[in-house]
């Protein structure tokens, strides 16, 4: 094997990143080296690229970017048991400590000492990448490599929709960014009866219909709560999946649910947010659930099973594919918002 | 209004029933008179027709048969508030007492003093029928009248599949009689990743594929547990919906689920059944749930919402439609098993 | 029977109330007349007495106050089936419509058209009172009349603690007003391993220990989150029951729960509240549940069963008993906060 | 450190065991050596001693017996992170593979490739014992060493009672052997309102009251279902915890639950069992849950937390303590049934 590879490296603590040649990394006894077949851009990669406050607080350049990936195992550490050379794999992003209260009670996805792939250690925007055995996910080889790479955000969407018990229910999804778009498909696959999507970007509103939305509105132009009233009547929706982090979407998303309903919050608001707990949560006896990560690995089993059996259609959400070296084009698309998931091919 | 109507009457405590003219019934203050637009044959109607032991123990002829129905309200009792003249309605079959522990805790569907429409009082195989206010279900008028009539067995199927949390999971359905066939569609709509159906009748095996089955086997010809092994590997299925009542199907359905899995039992075995609780239930830490009726009315909301928004396709399961007077032909089809749901039109 | 009775009447839209003689009310066909044996003061009664903004928006004087009650049935309406003359009863406060989505799905406690006893119709601070059949709760006659009267706030406490799945868990209760004090006893009875209570009032802090608290702090004097750290370590608590409505208690109560934990909100903040959803709810994957009312009637069964079998000790929380006519003394105690539940005896 | 120790060894494939001197075992990189402070006899140890069919199928002598233990860590393997020398620990008995579907979805307690301490490898009836890192459980040092040793059966009891949601409910426990006795205390601690215990052995019936039973009957002398009727009326119990494995107890335990209720099965029937699924499970819409092992490690956290905070009293169930060498006396007591838990002290 050659010992150099190309990778996208966050080289300095400033805007941007570079495509350059670096050493192929070596693995430890509980690590796996993969040849990357497909990798995809997450919103957090864009934040690292732009060098926003969160990135400044969490990243120490130089570091290889990226965490959504699919590839082939080409080498395994001496103690690795989960996978073997030749397996087709993806990877969880959260690297749990294994020993905190959360890890000890089946909640590794919210480990108190969590490290994150591509944030606290080198990522996967490269020809080769190192995965941790605790994170590696053996993927059915029949699954398309690009879908395999976006299993990770698919897992976010699954964990956002599952608490909503959406089968036969009325659903509001606020925000149709890449994960929001996938959540539409998930809600549809899980039997939601009627899905309203709220999204300001026209490109993504159009994509929402392709992912399975029944109704799509632009919250800049129409009053979201009036749209809910028009479609679902005085009852409101049974469940809101909040995927935008926008303060108005969060507030209206909570107001839109019927008493006794459920709200999943995945989108991350930048700042603190003022809420009318008394009227919107307490008197309505609703349940608000914060969502982060993916259950390890019950969520991955669901994702893999849906893809393997072609019970979810992610094709429309993959709007762009490009060589790894063209990543700057991908970052520009992320900035404009005129995209779903963007696949980078090493 | 005329005061005579045609109805199918179980006239004597013996095999058979007659199509005859009877008085149009009068309603009490908490009852509703409907003009029947569509009614459908349930397995229990066939048992009443054949006069099996259960029928002999529960029915006092003469009595009008039938309980699955859709129709228009033409008269309401003085205290009725739920519906008004002109509403399109269906009806729950279980008539709860309202005052037992189950009724007082939101479980009216398993009331201890339950009466049953078409069993303990006159049913709906007629031009007009009396419904109880506690049971009447206002149905969206956009729903096809035949689908509206089979909301009741659709509700059985929903309550059988819901406890299985099937989204993204591997599912076995044993028995593709009319409710089993509907359960296939429900499991499919609720996101099951891979559905294996076991059914001895060829006609119904073919229908199973139309309802959404991924695999269908004849348990007379193949070993069901071997089929499970072939399709799902050593893991087995996550959930079995037992819709047949057949002892072998129950036993194999339980054996087929992976440790930690779930079994819903809807099919009614005729006799006591021998089970290996230690190895098949206890060591496997599985959950076995008995299913009866439909939650009043959360299940009906789900059924109505799926039909109204066309998120479930029941067309294939309605295999026969005939005038009410031809009901004997329907009973013959039920006997042979070469049918899905049979609709009778007054 | 005489036709006059004494009652506490909110006579004018202003501060205060009067103890006066009024007609004994007549009942409708679905109502029940009881002779009041014990009645108790709720925080909302105090708000009506003081004539705060909520009271001004909801009450139309003149009206008899009060809703927590125990008494003997002395007359039943013509259609009443649930109770008969001589039964010992209490009453739910929420009067559901019976026909909205919530009522149709077993959630009458959050009916969209809810009326409230003592708010929208005459209450129970009187020698006799009218109850609705839908609300009447037949109480085991072995239960002490004062405990029977506070079954209603006991139900609030039960529904606050139940979602916390507290068996063997670490629990924080913020606010030890009357319902908070009862919630301590409920958490203790339900198996909480370690209960920390936060309460500024010294009288109520002392009572907290009597109700079963393991630790009690004054949040004015100590930093609550530091106290949590001292007692529960870095893990935090598994569950917070927020019973105060105080903004700091809500925020700290949410911060105190460990990732994956649960928060019940019962206390009603006066105003909107600023929350750090990203760090305190979303990244922590916690569940926040708004609590109102009592499930009708599964919660009442639990309350009655605990009291009948003496598995919960409410004695310490009943700090004062006085004749109905001395209610002004009770209102003064409520104002000062140096009380638990106050019983009024007609 | 000396290199010999005393242990109870199942030396030959026949009735009995011997107390003898053996080598102190060496540990691998993911193992821990403890000095045993307290160990306790489980029913399965007695089966191994007696050499019943299950033991013959599962044990390969010679092997050290025993799996319930508490002790001090004296040496840790090179890769061990969970505990360090000097820690006070107990141990899970189930040794999961870490890679099957169950292990990958947070259900290690029902691993498909499970090994069992004291069954598939040397156990803990010895002065020193080897534990697996995956199983070791750091125990609060304030917990009494004998209670620490019976955390393992306490975990069984917790996992049996938890699915019953017993707070404020009516509970039947069939079988008051050692785990049944502990389950009484657990149900009591978790807020059961009224606990009926059924047990043929007089010694254990008396102990049942000490553990918190409200009613205790001898099913040989009284009809259990009549006793249920007398105590709980026509409603029956909300939950049965079946701890005996006796066919009559299983059948009556299922019949005793009210429609909509729950049954946990922990006791292992020797043979297949005939059940009336139609009337006792399906029409009643009840849930039957098989229980095995303890969740790793959420159940252990609950057990540890209850013991540390003295919220459960296990004192009465520890009926005998004796030196390890006197184990034959303990086995005799197990045979007669006149005991709770028996502690062996090395």
């Amino acid at each position: 094997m050659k010992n150099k590879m190309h990778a996208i490296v966050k080289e300095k603590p400033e805007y941007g990143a570079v495509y350059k040649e670096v050493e192929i990394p070596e693995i430890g006894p509980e690590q796996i080296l993969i040849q990357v077949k497909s990798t995809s851009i997450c919103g957090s990669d864009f934040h690292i690229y732009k060098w926003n406050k969160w990135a400044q607080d969490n990243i120490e350049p130089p570091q290889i970017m990226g965490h959504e990936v699919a590839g082939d195992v080409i080498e395994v550490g001496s103690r690795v048991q989960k996978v073997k050379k030749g397996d087709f794999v993806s990877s969880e992003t959260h690297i749990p400590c294994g020993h905190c209260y959360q890890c000890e009670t089946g909640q590794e996805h919210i480990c108190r000492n969590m490290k994150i792939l591509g944030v606290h250690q080198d990522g996967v925007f490269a020809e080769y990448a190192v995965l941790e055995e605790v994170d590696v996910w053996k993927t059915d080889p029949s699954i398309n490599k690009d879908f395999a790479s976006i299993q990770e955000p698919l897992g976010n969407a699954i964990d956002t929709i599952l608490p909503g018990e959406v089968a036969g229910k009325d659903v509001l999804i606020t925000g149709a960014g890449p994960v929001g778009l996938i959540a539409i498909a998930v809600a549809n696959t899980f039997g939601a009866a009627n899905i309203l999507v709220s999204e300001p970007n026209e490109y993504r509103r159009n994509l929402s219909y392709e992912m399975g939305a029944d109704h799509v509105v632009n919250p800049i132009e129409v009053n979201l709560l009036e749209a809910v009233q028009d479609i679902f009547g005085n009852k409101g929706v049974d469940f809101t999946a909040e995927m935008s982090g926008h303060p108005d979407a969060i507030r209206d998303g909570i107001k839109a649910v019927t008493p006794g309903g459920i709200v999943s919050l995945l989108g991350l608001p930048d700042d603190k947010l003022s809420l009318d707990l008394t009227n919107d949560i307490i008197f309505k006896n609703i349940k608000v659930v914060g969502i982060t990560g993916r259950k390890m690995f019950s969520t991955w089993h669901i994702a893999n099973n849906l893809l393997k059996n072609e019970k979810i259609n992610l094709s429309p959400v993959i709007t762009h594919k490009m060589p790894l070296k063209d990543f700057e084009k991908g970052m520009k698309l992320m900035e404009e918002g005129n995209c779903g998931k963007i696949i980078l091919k090493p």
Side-chain angles (χ1 to χ4, degrees), chain A residues 23 27 30 48-49 58 61 64 73 81 84-85 115 122 131 157 166-167 180 204 206 223 244 278 289 306 308 326:
Chain A
E23 300 284 318
I27 57 172
E30 292 172 356
I48 294 169
Y49 180 81
N58 284 279
I64 298 172
V73 174
Q81 293 180 273
K84 61 180 194 307
K85 204 172 153 175
K115 301 221 169 306
D122 276 334
L131 304 179
V166 298
R204 289 172 171 177
N206 290 334
N223 179 306
S244 74
T278 296
V289 190
L306 291 173
K308 184 178 67 173
D326 294 348

Side-chain angles (χ1 to χ4, degrees), chain A residues 71-87:
Chain A
D72 296 331
V73 174
I74 55 172
E75 193 188 343
V76 300
S78 58
R79 293 203 290 271
V80 167
Q81 293 180 273
K82 262 170 91 173
V83 292
K84 61 180 194 307
K85 204 172 153 175
D87 282 347

